[in-house]
Amino acid sequence: MPRKTIAVATAALAVALLAGCSTGGSEDGGSDAAGSGSTQTSAPRSATPEAASQSKAEACSAFQSEVEDAAKDLQEQSSQLQADPAAALAKLDELDQSVSEGVASVQNAEVKPKAQAFQAAYRDLLTEVKAITQDPASADMAAFKASTQGLEAASTDFRTVCPSS
């Protein structure tokens, strides 16, 4: 069961991440983020000069550049990782670090909360994957499915601010 779960989780993560993060920044920066409905975590919006000077397109690009390569690498290695749950978890942790670096690189007040929500959703899913691999007999597949859907929703929400160009 752990290998099958890792395979499903890896595929779900790769799809959600690539769908949410490799769409490219908005050239015109003119998408409205209203009605997002996602829960946001951590820092309040900043009014620092850095935040004011980073355009929405620059912020989208900054987040995406940190996350995109790691997500593609995860997707490319998914078949190898299915056979090695420990390596898969290590790769998922590396991706978590890339997402964290991506969030840190965003200073734009409109993009930052979307990137943070994406990070929170990814971490929720990662927590579920780790729980399943540690104790497959007690796997809460409903929680896993909910976390997967949460990541997909956060990806969609991120695209409301950072649509493909």
Side-chain angles (χ1 to χ4, degrees):
M1 171 110 175
R3 287 185 181 175
K4 185 178 257 186
T5 302
I6 289 290
V8 171
T10 302
L13 287 168
V15 168
L17 288 167
L18 289 173
C21 296
S22 63
T23 57
S26 172
E27 295 284 327
D28 63 14
S31 177
D32 182 9
S36 67
S38 77
T39 39
Q40 299 171 2
T41 59
S42 77
R45 294 185 182 199
S46 172
T48 65
E50 286 178 0
S53 67
Q54 187 182 43
S55 72
K56 186 163 56 168
E58 290 168 336
C60 292
S61 179
F63 183 75
Q64 292 163 341
S65 68
E66 291 290 340
V67 178
E68 187 176 52
D69 288 340
K72 283 182 182 177
D73 187 41
L74 178 65
Q75 184 182 36
E76 289 169 1
Q77 294 185 23
S78 66
S79 61
Q80 296 94 332
L81 295 175
Q82 292 173 27
D84 187 352
L89 288 176
K91 245 339 171 183
L92 295 175
D93 282 334
E94 285 178 28
L95 185 54
D96 182 44
Q97 182 61 38
S98 294
V99 172
S100 181
E101 290 168 4
V103 170
S105 69
V106 174
Q107 300 305 316
N108 180 279
E110 188 175 354
V111 177
K112 184 88 169 186
K114 303 302 182 188
Q116 289 170 325
F118 182 88
Q119 179 183 33
Y122 175 77
R123 286 188 172 163
D124 286 347
L125 182 56
L126 184 55
T127 298
E128 291 301 323
V129 170
K130 287 180 178 182
I132 291 168
T133 58
Q134 289 173 359
D135 188 6
S138 298
D140 184 351
M141 297 311 288
F144 173 74
K145 182 178 179 182
S147 293
T148 302
Q149 291 170 338
L151 182 60
E152 290 169 357
S155 296
T156 299
D157 201 29
F158 184 83
R159 287 191 310 267
T160 64
V161 173
C162 296
S164 60
S165 51

